[in-house]
Amino acid sequence: QKEVEQDPGPLSVPEGAIVSLNCTYSNSAFQYFMWYRQYSRKGPELLMYTYSSGNKEDGRFTAQVDKSSKYISLFIRDSQPSDSATYLCAMSAGAGGTSYGKLTFGQGTILTVHP
Amino acid sequence: DTEVTQTPKHLVMGMTNKKSLKCEQHMGHRAMYWYKQKAKKPPELMFVYSYEKLSINESVPSRFSPECPNSSLLNLHLHALQPEDSALYLCASSQDSSAALHFGNGTRLTVT
């Protein structure tokens, strides 16, 4: 079993739909949770960053973390064709030592928003 | 445009060549990273530099040699690579170990 599980999709939705992307994880040491968006032939772009459990909103994006269930989500409201990309969840235990800055990624979900 | 700049964008090299990948950030971040990404896969960590010192080497073959000349620059020296080393090489930086990583757009490397 992978440490982080993410459905690779692909996911296809019409423009304006609400998109829900999810990851589950098994390592209870994870404290920092991130969502990245990656367009073809580009590097991952940080979308959301949260610490511990709770919700965070930024424009059309909302990130949720439920540490008790080891489950994180990213919601995209009013989705646009420009949101078409691969979305990667990532998490880390932070702190120092051998886990310093070490992100564990999900496999990525390919999202297509069609006009 | 990202705040982490990588050059070159594309690189084709033979198995006997020596080349270097370069990365620069001006965000004042104290940690810098090299990741390798194969097609349709997530990035895989190769090296971590913290305060210009190598802190993590994820058992990367010695044909990859990282260097951190100062807090803003990170290099990856390549020598005697194999075709299976063809991938997107990503540089990233972060304020510290608890902060999110900011990635560059990578160098797409092809080994012939």
Side-chain angles (χ1 to χ4, degrees), chain B residues 53-64:
Chain B
K53 289 187 173 15
L54 183 65
S55 60
I56 295 178
N57 176 342
E58 290 285 283
S59 302
V60 178
S62 60
R63 58 185 184 269
F64 296 91

Side-chain angles (χ1 to χ4, degrees), chain A residues 32 34 36 38 41-44 46 49 88 94-95 97-98 100-103 105-107, chain B residues 31 33 35 37 42-43 45 48 50 56 58 90 96-101 103-105 108:
Chain A
Y32 303 93
M34 287 139 271
Y36 287 89
Q38 188 171 22
R41 300 187 175 278
K42 296 287 189 182
L46 180 66
Y49 170 62
L88 294 151
T98 57
Y100 190 106
K102 186 171 180 177
L103 294 186
F105 285 90
Q107 289 299 298
Chain B
Y33 310 78
Y35 277 80
Q37 187 176 27
L45 181 64
V48 180
S50 173
I56 295 178
E58 290 285 283
L90 294 162
D96 55 41
S97 65
S98 63
L101 272 61
F103 286 87
N105 280 323
R108 189 161 300 278

